Amino acid sequence: ASVTNISYASNGSVDGSNVFYAIATDSLGNATSCTATNLNYFLDTVRPATAGSPSIASGYHNSTSTSPTFTWSTPSDPAPSSGLNRIEVAISTSATGGNEAAGWTSLGIATVSHAYASGLSLSQCVDYYATIRSVDDAGNTSLNAVTSAFRVDTTGPTAPAFSIGTDQSNSQ
């Protein structure tokens, strides 16, 4: 009798290595034993660790520059690890991080600092937060690592106005 059905089973959907097995059934209902296939796969549903120690460059908390520089420590991808794929950085107006002020920029996995090129459209006297996250090869994204706030201030203070008048109190 010829094979009429092939069914597949897996050893589970657990993080780590998994194997597909096949069972062939003929038209009379006879089935082969469960046979391992070459359709092995690796499942990773664990998010990478959050980048550590995010900080804005010294002296940048209030700056005339629209090119912030910030640093962080390299995150890891805990077991079962598919491996880190990239680091992403952005700028947010939220203390929890995000990318609404400057979209995500992808960087290499060994990168531990980033300096934005000049010309970002950052408003004056608004609190901004640099955001760092990591993405692994399975597409899992870490939680955001966020720097303390920084502000752009490109307007110098207004010169004080004063006048010198004559003192009328000592008249003789």
Side-chain angles (χ1 to χ4, degrees):
S2 61
V3 174
T4 59
N5 184 42
I6 297 177
S7 59
Y8 294 94
S10 172
N11 66 330
S13 57
V14 296
D15 280 331
S17 294
N18 290 275
V19 178
F20 273 112
Y21 296 90
I23 301 171
T25 307
D26 65 19
S27 58
L28 300 175
N30 299 313
T32 64
S33 61
C34 189
T35 306
T37 68
N38 289 328
L39 301 174
N40 301 341
Y41 67 98
F42 188 87
L43 181 63
D44 177 1
T45 61
V46 178
R47 71 176 62 223
T50 304
S53 307
S55 63
I56 199 75
S58 178
Y60 198 87
H61 291 282
N62 284 300
S63 176
T64 59
S65 173
T66 59
S67 304
T69 298
F70 47 99
T71 62
W72 58 92
S73 61
T74 305
S76 63
D77 190 21
S81 174
S82 58
L84 283 179
N85 181 279
R86 65 188 178 276
I87 302 294
E88 295 181 335
V89 296
I91 297 180
S92 176
T93 54
S94 168
T96 59
N99 68 335
E100 68 280 352
W104 295 110
T105 298
S106 293
L107 306 171
I109 60 173
T111 307
V112 292
S113 68
H114 183 67
Y116 273 93
S118 62
L120 286 177
S121 296
L122 302 179
S123 298
Q124 293 196 90
C125 300
V126 172
D127 284 342
Y128 290 102
Y129 303 85
T131 306
I132 304 100
R133 67 183 187 185
S134 55
V135 181
D136 68 14
D137 287 334
N140 300 309
T141 303
S142 72
L143 298 174
N144 291 337
V146 183
T147 66
S148 57
F150 66 92
R151 287 183 173 197
V152 175
D153 184 358
T154 58
T155 304
T158 304
F162 62 92
S163 62
I164 299 175
T166 57
D167 184 359
Q168 301 293 325
S169 63
N170 287 334
S171 299
Q172 292 183 357

